[in-house]
Amino acid sequence: MNPLGCHALVWVGDWSERSARYAIESTAQVGYDLIEVPILDPSTVDTAMTRRLLEDNGLGSACSLGLDDTTDVSSEDPAIVAAGRDRLAAAVEAAHDMGAAHLVGVLYSKLGKYPRPITATGRGHVTESMAWLAKQAGDAGLSLSLEVVNRYETNVVNTAADMLTLIDETGANIGAHLDSYHMNIEENGFVEPVQQTAGRLGYLHIGESHRGYLGTGTIDFDALFGAVRDIGYTGPVTFESFSSAVVHPDLSNTLAVWRNLWDDSRNLAETAFAFMAERLARR
Ligand code: MN
């Protein structure tokens, strides 16, 4: 059975010690194997505190982030690309220091809507930067996967097939990170992209079409989980959900989290755990 994960934004919008303790203890109590901690600004994360709380609760972790306008490695501006690599190097260090096993997310792009397509120069900066990042992550013992997200959150790649092409161009050991919420917007269905990433899927986000309770939206989770089982994927399966009830100062606005889709974090997390575990166990 795959390790099951829960995104920290199910519980908290900040990473003070009080919030980190609540999120980590709650995630472990529900029965999850790991928590995904967003580290958009790695310099603000107390890695020693986080590592201690994770160890105390026997919980694994993944770190995720997306870049911003000042650190976008898909920029044509070499100074912005350099700032992006500094941000990514700090993320590798933070993930390593907190004992995380996985570094995932939109590490190749600004997380947000672009006003125009990516340029050839920008694309070159992405492949060079991801080849560089793969070396950094490998040296730190981290599994690296790049998340495929929809057109409103990046202009670099929006489908699994295009992500595999990008990864091939880097020539590096990088996994694909798929997310059902984004697949629902961009892909032809839920089976094809999973099959395309067979053997190369490194991380999986499970989110509903509206990012609320699993099973209350339009995503065909039976098809998705069937494909995940068929390709023999054994990596993490992490529940990702957002509501205006839990607000991160940057991420919530970037992801356009305007609606209240839930208030009861504990019930949400328990429901998602049971939902994912039951489907992964089907034969
Ligand atoms: Mn995601």
Side-chain angles (χ1 to χ4, degrees):
M1 172 96 144
N2 308 71
L4 294 184
C6 185
H7 196 284
L9 262 287
V10 166
W11 308 103
V12 298
D14 71 295
W15 204 246
S16 64
E17 180 161 4
R18 176 190 169 90
S19 291
R21 175 176 285 108
Y22 168 62
I24 288 170
E25 288 180 354
S26 299
T27 298
Q29 285 164 6
V30 174
Y32 286 98
D33 303 293
L34 67 131
I35 186 169
E36 180 178 324
V37 183
I39 55 167
L40 280 84
D41 185 351
S43 68
T44 65
V45 179
D46 184 339
T47 55
M49 173 272 286
T50 305
R51 186 183 192 113
R52 175 169 44 78
L53 287 170
L54 289 167
E55 289 175 354
D56 287 351
N57 288 275
L59 194 66
S61 64
C63 289
S64 60
L65 70 153
L67 301 173
D68 58 25
D69 280 316
T70 66
T71 56
D72 183 358
V73 295
S74 77
S75 170
E76 293 198 306
D77 183 343
I80 294 176
V81 174
R85 291 202 191 184
D86 288 347
R87 174 68 56 87
L88 293 170
V92 167
E93 185 176 359
H96 174 264
D97 289 352
M98 77 166 67
H102 306 273
L103 181 62
V104 301
V106 187
L107 307 163
Y108 57 89
S109 170
K110 176 181 88 168
L111 187 61
K113 187 171 184 302
Y114 285 82
R116 58 186 64 85
I118 190 170
T119 65
T121 302
R123 172 80 178 203
H125 289 160
V126 171
T127 51
E128 290 166 16
S129 295
M130 292 304 98
W132 167 87
L133 178 61
K135 174 76 166 64
Q136 308 300 309
D139 289 350
L142 292 164
S143 145
L144 175 68
S145 298
L146 303 181
E147 184 171 13
V148 184
V149 299
N150 74 74
R151 65 190 69 188
Y152 306 110
E153 298 183 27
T154 183
N155 66 356
V156 178
V157 296
N158 301 125
T159 65
D162 287 345
M163 178 57 80
L164 294 174
T165 300
L166 173 67
I167 292 170
D168 285 342
E169 285 172 10
T170 69
N173 180 23
I174 301 174
H177 167 184
L178 296 185
D179 180 320
S180 56
Y181 164 80
H182 299 290
M183 292 162 71
N184 183 55
I185 297 171
E186 300 290 352
E187 303 281 5
N188 295 331
F190 295 99
V191 173
E192 181 184 63
V194 173
Q195 289 179 338
Q196 287 167 339
T197 58
R200 303 176 67 181
L201 184 60
Y203 200 81
L204 179 61
H205 271 162
I206 296 298
E208 241 318 345
S209 50
H210 47 40
R211 310 199 99 161
Y213 269 81
L214 298 183
T216 66
T218 60
I219 289 185
D220 186 350
F221 283 112
D222 289 346
L224 173 66
F225 280 104
V228 169
R229 295 194 309 270
D230 284 347
I231 67 167
Y233 173 64
T234 57
V237 175
T238 294
F239 174 54
E240 188 172 48
S241 183
F242 304 98
S243 168
S244 59
V246 173
V247 176
H248 183 284
D250 303 318
L251 191 57
S252 296
N253 291 339
T254 301
L255 299 179
V257 179
W258 316 135
R259 292 168 60 199
N260 182 301
L261 287 149
W262 43 259
D263 286 300
D264 187 339
S265 299
R266 182 68 178 237
N267 182 262
L268 175 81
E270 289 174 348
T271 303
F273 184 90
F275 188 99
M276 298 191 298
E278 191 272 325
R279 277 158 182 78
L280 286 167
R282 282 186 196 168
R283 307 213 68 81

